[in-house]
Structure formats: C-alpha cells, structure tokens
Amino acid sequence: MSADTTQIPDPARPNVLVILADDMGYSDVGCYGGEIGTPHIDGLADRGVRLTNFYNTARCSPSRASLLTGLHPHQTGVAELVNNDGPAGYPGSLTERCATLAEAFRAAGYRTHMTGKWHLSNEREQPDGTWPTRRGFDRFWGTISGAGSYFQTTTLHDGEIPIPLSELGEDFYYTDEIGSHAAGAIRDAAAHGQPFFGYVAFTAPHWPLHAKDEDLANTRGRFDEGWDVLRTRRHRRQIAAGICAENATLDDRDPAVIAWDDEPEQKWQLQRMEVYAAQVQAMDRAVGRILAALDDTGQRDNTIVVFLSDNGGCAEELSSDPESAQRFRRHHLIIPPRAPDGTPMRVGNTPEIRPGTADTYTSYGRAWANLSNTPFRLYKRWVHEGGISTPLIVSWPNGGFSGGVLDAPHQLTDIAPTLFEATEVQPLAERNGRTLPSLPGVSMLDVLRGGQAVEHDLFWEHIGNAAIRVGRWKLVHEYGSPWELYDLASDRSERNDLAGEYPDRVQDLAARWQDWADAVGVLPYNQVLVARARMPRQPA
C-alpha cells in the first residue's frame, strides 16, 4: 500500500497487538537464554521490557480463554480443553458469561482482527456463538481446532467460510501465512484510519514437527552438544541477562531422561530438536513481517505489542498405536492427519520416522522439552514452574516503559487490566443482557513504566494440579499428591520442598487457594473425570 493512501490512526489511541506462541518453553527465544535464532522477537525485548515471573495457565485452551477475557479459565467454560463435559463438567467452549478483549475494543471503536489458532470452541465445523467472528473479531483468518499439519492445514477458515485444501497452494506453510494475513490486517486498519486490536495466535512450535527445508538448513548442527551441555549454557546466559538471579539453581535433568552421552539415537533426537527450532525460527520470521507492517504504516511507536507463550514446553510423546492415537485426537478435537496424497500420516515418535516432512506427525519429546523449560522442572499441563512460566515481552515505544528486565510476579489475568488502562478502553460490564464478572487481575502498566508492583495472590488449577503464589512463597501439588511449598526467591526451580518445615504456612495458603477455587467455580477433578466418562464419545 502506498504511503499517500494510508491514514495514520489517531495517535491518542494506541493500537494493541497480542502475539501468542504455542507450546514454546521459557528459554527457547534468544532473549530468554536460547540458542535458537529469534532476532525479531529479541528486538521487541530491546525496545520494551521482559518479565521473568510471568505465568500462563499450563495449557493452550485455558490460557487462550484467560488471555482473551481477563478471567480465570474456569469462569469462561474452558478450564481444560474444548471437550464438552457438561453439565457436570466444563462445557469446553466460551460461555455467554464472559466478554473477549475484541468485544470490548470493538465497542470502543477499534478495528479487530485475529489470525491463527482459536481452540476455544468444541464446534469445529459449523460457526456458532463461540467462534471468533461471533466473539468480537471483525476479521478472522485461521484454524478453529487445536493442532494439525503446517502444510495441509485443515479447519482453516476465512471468516466463517472454510478454505479447502485445494486452494492452499504448493508453497503453503501455516506459520508464514499467519504472518502475512496479520500484516495485511494491520495495513487495512491503517488505511481506514482506525486504531486496531490484533490477536496473532501461532500454532508454532506445537507438534506436529513440520518445517521448510530452508529453515531446517539454519538449525542443523546447532544442538549437536546435546541437552545436558545446552541446558547449562542456557542457564548461564539467563543469569548473565538478569533472567535468573545469581543464586538461581538449575533443576537437575528430568529423572526420566537419560544423559546425552548415553542416548543411543542421537541422530534422530537431533533431528527432532532441529525441526522444533526451525518452527520457532519461522515464527520469528513471521513476527518480523508483522512488525514491518507496523513500521511501514507509521504505527510501531504507538502500538502496544505483547508476546508470550500459552504454556511451557510439551513433553507429550505421540504414539503410533491406533487406539492411543484415536483417543489423543478425540481429546484434542484434531481431524485425523493425512499426508498430501490423502493417505494417513506416519504418526509416532520412533527413529524410523524422520520428523519434519508433510507425511509425518511427530513431537520433540520430554528431553528437549526439559531443555526448553530451563531452568525449571515439569512441563505443559503441570502448574509447577516448567508448566506455567512464560517469556513475556511488552513493547510500546510511546508508552514510557522503563526497559530492561522486571521480576514482578504476574499472570494472564493481569493482561486485560493493563491493556484497558493503557488505552482507556472500558471493559464490558454486560453482554447480551448478562452482567459479567469483574476482572480479577491488576494492571501492570505502572510497573512496566518503572513503578511499584501491586502485590496480589496468583492462582492456578488445571486437571487437578493446583498452585497459589503469594509473594515469594508458592504452594503447589500434582493431582492426587500432597502439597509442596517452595521459596521462589531462592529456589525458583522448586528443588527444596519446605512443606514439612512450615505446616502453618501450608495450611494458610491451602485455605486461600480453596477460597479462590470456590469463588471462580473450580470443579473437583474427580467430578470432571466422572462426567467425562458418562459423556457419549465424539467421532474421532
């Protein structure tokens, strides 16, 4: 678009652009210690701030629900994934009792657009009231379901119109297309002279491991020293960058992971990580394309850009067993994968299946996820630090941010209040005649500008895993296990359980967690499991 046809939006109203990675660990991007090349994301950090103690909700759908509504996921109907476990369980789709950021910004006169993965509806075929086009987005281009091929992308829609595979073209790669469509939406908003709220939800680097040859060429050999050496080096870079304190411990290698020197399939393991890294690099390239659209339209300085990940690194191993694969697809509402010629993909993590090509469906596994989550333990689905810690980068050159690295603890429910305060947009008090709950989070705007953080308790629950953080103290447990207590000021890697030394503190924090759980509608996980068992099976 030529400069003479572009109207610069009112400078008094900042744009908002939220960029979400999928299943990317805490330390993968360069500015959080990783060796994967991410110059565009790192550049956002150079012009903004990085938070070291920011948290998601441990899994993709709940994190998206919380990010887009400012509520805890249990208040939105999407507390696990998009399975309908009602009426005794969670409905698995956004309820009418919450409003999205897009709905609030559109009511305030913003243009709204979304590109990428939705994953907030258990209706993936026909539009209903839970699709992005029915929840505040003027423009949507992307996928409804949770995962799929990067080359043969199914459930792809332009608005509410399905896009057949025959129209994708030979060079189609989903991550690149997300970047191109997001950049186009930014240029269109500028042409209309309106501020915009944009939401870019990548599927990268979520499995399946699919990468373009040119991206793989840039990652080959980068991980040859193996996960043990690389975890130590990432941690050293984190300490040097101020991401971790000088006295920060590095969690021991996952006990289920063998030493790199003892790994019998090093070549295959390296291939897995190289494809994963290529997916991250492709996402960074797409981010660069989006940022270029901001620069070209003169909107970069007055756009609040937020970058984060929906959960920690993913340790899931994909099975080639047909029954296991069917259960997995049903649980994630994934259309059975097919190769470009229509035959079933080769599914599973075995050395016989080289990852990366369009006819494979694999993941990078527990050992590399352990590297991704440096210096923490555990993974996506857990609410220990490895499952919920995310890089958070916020850039707004006109916003007076202090720059650098900030340690104040915050979580997803704090993003909406921050954006509303920064833009002076009001959250919706009602939707379709229903009074909406007040937002539980606090604004981070003052702390991003170098001010004092607002102390507030942080809470999590996911599939029975539970946690509360109050200041330096974190109480956490895995479903069916006792509470553990950690002093995160000296033990962010959760190595030294202090529950036995401080029983009164454990009791106090557990009571606070239960009060929160009752207030936001957390269902006992055994009840959810019973409800799911009674539901009729959905087609695979």
Side-chain angles (χ1 to χ4, degrees):
M1 182 173 294
S2 61
D4 59 350
T5 62
T6 300
Q7 301 176 45
I8 305 300
D10 180 357
R13 307 184 76 192
N15 306 303
V16 175
L17 179 63
V18 177
I19 303 174
L20 186 67
D22 195 351
D23 279 17
M24 188 188 74
Y26 183 77
S27 69
D28 281 326
V29 296
C31 58
Y32 278 79
E35 60 286 306
I36 302 173
T38 53
H40 300 293
I41 295 170
D42 297 346
L44 275 177
D46 291 340
R47 299 185 67 181
V49 294
R50 283 171 286 172
L51 274 69
T52 65
N53 284 263
F54 194 85
Y55 296 103
N56 50 49
T57 65
R59 209 165 188 185
C60 42
S61 295
S63 286
R64 283 164 169 72
S66 187
L67 172 66
L68 285 178
T69 66
L71 300 173
H72 292 287
H74 315 82
Q75 299 173 282
T76 72
V78 187
E80 185 176 345
L81 283 171
V82 289
N83 303 68
N84 184 355
D85 295 324
Y90 300 107
S93 289
L94 287 181
T95 73
E96 293 292 320
R97 297 184 298 277
C98 62
T100 68
L101 289 170
E103 289 172 306
F105 277 97
R106 185 164 69 176
Y110 278 63
R111 292 176 70 88
T112 59
H113 66 264
M114 178 192 167
T115 52
K117 168 180 169 177
W118 181 238
H119 208 203
L120 291 173
S121 171
N122 51 42
E123 174 51 73
R124 69 187 182 201
E125 303 292 346
Q126 297 296 325
D128 66 2
T130 65
W131 277 37
T133 44
R134 313 285 177 95
R135 298 310 294 250
F137 288 100
D138 299 318
R139 175 172 176 166
F140 167 64
W141 186 94
T143 43
I144 299 300
S145 62
S149 170
Y150 287 73
F151 298 107
Q152 298 284 308
T153 305
T154 54
T155 73
L156 188 63
H157 285 75
D158 185 351
E160 297 182 358
I161 301 173
I163 303 174
L165 293 177
S166 60
E167 294 184 8
L168 299 188
E170 293 184 1
D171 296 329
F172 180 90
Y173 186 70
Y174 192 29
T175 303
D176 288 338
E177 294 297 325
I178 288 174
S180 295
H181 282 268
I186 289 169
R187 296 179 190 279
D188 286 350
H192 286 83
Q194 284 180 269
F196 68 81
F197 170 79
Y199 173 46
V200 182
F202 288 102
T203 56
H206 194 294
W207 45 256
L209 296 175
H210 283 170
K212 300 167 69 173
D213 289 342
E214 53 265 40
D215 290 326
L216 277 171
N218 292 325
T219 61
R220 289 195 182 100
R222 193 167 297 186
F223 307 96
D224 286 359
E225 292 175 292
W227 44 69
D228 293 322
V229 170
L230 294 174
R231 285 186 78 237
T232 300
R233 288 190 178 165
R234 284 194 182 193
H235 190 228
R236 288 173 181 167
R237 287 193 291 267
Q238 289 174 329
I239 292 174
I243 300 299
C244 293
E246 287 287 345
N247 64 348
T249 56
L250 174 64
D251 180 53
D252 295 332
R253 184 196 323 115
D254 187 318
V257 175
I258 66 173
W260 175 253
D261 289 343
D262 298 330
E263 169 58 53
E265 298 288 348
Q266 287 189 357
K267 181 179 179 181
W268 170 66
Q269 291 285 14
L270 288 171
Q271 290 171 347
R272 301 171 81 187
M273 186 60 189
E274 287 166 356
V275 179
Y276 174 88
Q279 291 175 303
V280 174
Q281 286 194 167
M283 177 179 63
D284 183 77
R285 179 176 63 244
V287 169
R289 184 170 297 151
I290 295 166
L291 297 179
L294 291 177
D295 289 331
D296 293 346
T297 56
Q299 299 180 89
R300 179 72 170 271
D301 288 349
N302 202 35
T303 299
I304 304 168
V305 182
V306 179
F307 174 85
L308 72 164
S309 180
D310 63 353
N311 46 248
C314 175
E316 292 166 347
E317 295 282 359
L318 303 188
S319 172
S320 58
D321 172 68
E323 185 177 348
S324 297
Q326 186 181 48
R327 286 198 306 268
F328 189 83
R329 292 196 298 267
R330 183 183 297 114
H331 190 58
H332 290 77
L333 288 192
I334 297 168
I335 291 178
R338 297 276 171 177
D341 63 0
T343 61
M345 289 184 185
R346 294 178 293 146
V347 178
N349 292 340
T350 64
E352 291 74 33
I353 301 177
R354 179 178 178 175
T357 56
D359 63 341
T360 63
Y361 207 90
T362 65
S363 65
Y364 78 153
R366 194 178 192 99
W368 293 119
N370 197 199
L371 171 66
S372 289
N373 289 342
T374 304
F376 309 129
R377 67 184 179 97
L378 294 180
Y379 312 95
K380 169 186 177 181
R381 298 177 59 187
W382 282 270
V383 294
H384 288 72
E385 295 294 284
I388 59 176
S389 297
T390 174
L392 179 78
I393 301 169
V394 187
S395 174
W396 183 21
N398 285 357
F401 291 174
S402 62
V405 177
L406 303 176
D407 297 326
H410 286 279
Q411 64 183 141
L412 286 176
T413 49
D414 298 332
I415 287 182
T418 304
L419 297 179
F420 287 141
E421 182 181 8
T423 59
E424 299 184 0
V425 168
Q426 296 299 311
L428 297 185
E430 64 175 39
R431 184 181 185 278
N432 293 340
R434 295 175 180 267
T435 300
L436 300 177
S438 58
L439 299 183
V442 303
S443 174
M444 301 182 290
L445 189 60
D446 190 48
V447 73
L448 294 174
R449 289 172 168 164
Q452 293 296 313
V454 178
E455 292 189 7
H456 61 304
D457 298 350
L458 309 180
F459 300 95
W460 298 266
E461 189 280 336
H462 180 63
I463 58 173
N465 303 325
I468 174 176
R469 177 169 177 173
V470 178
R472 64 192 293 165
W473 295 98
K474 180 180 176 184
L475 190 72
V476 58
H477 74 70
E478 187 175 351
Y479 176 62
S481 298
W483 287 109
E484 305 161 14
L485 179 68
Y486 298 100
D487 179 359
L488 297 188
S490 60
D491 183 25
R492 182 86 191 275
S493 296
E494 299 172 315
R495 294 165 56 115
N496 184 24
D497 180 8
L498 302 174
E501 296 182 36
Y502 300 98
D504 291 344
R505 189 179 298 276
V506 170
Q507 184 176 6
D508 173 63
L509 294 179
R512 290 202 210 184
W513 181 89
Q514 189 61 57
D515 288 343
W516 165 81
D518 293 341
V520 301
V522 174
L523 300 176
Y525 191 52
N526 58 344
Q527 174 182 323
V528 176
L529 293 176
V530 170
R532 181 172 304 144
R534 292 174 177 171
M535 293 292 290
R537 284 193 169 187
Q538 300 177 12

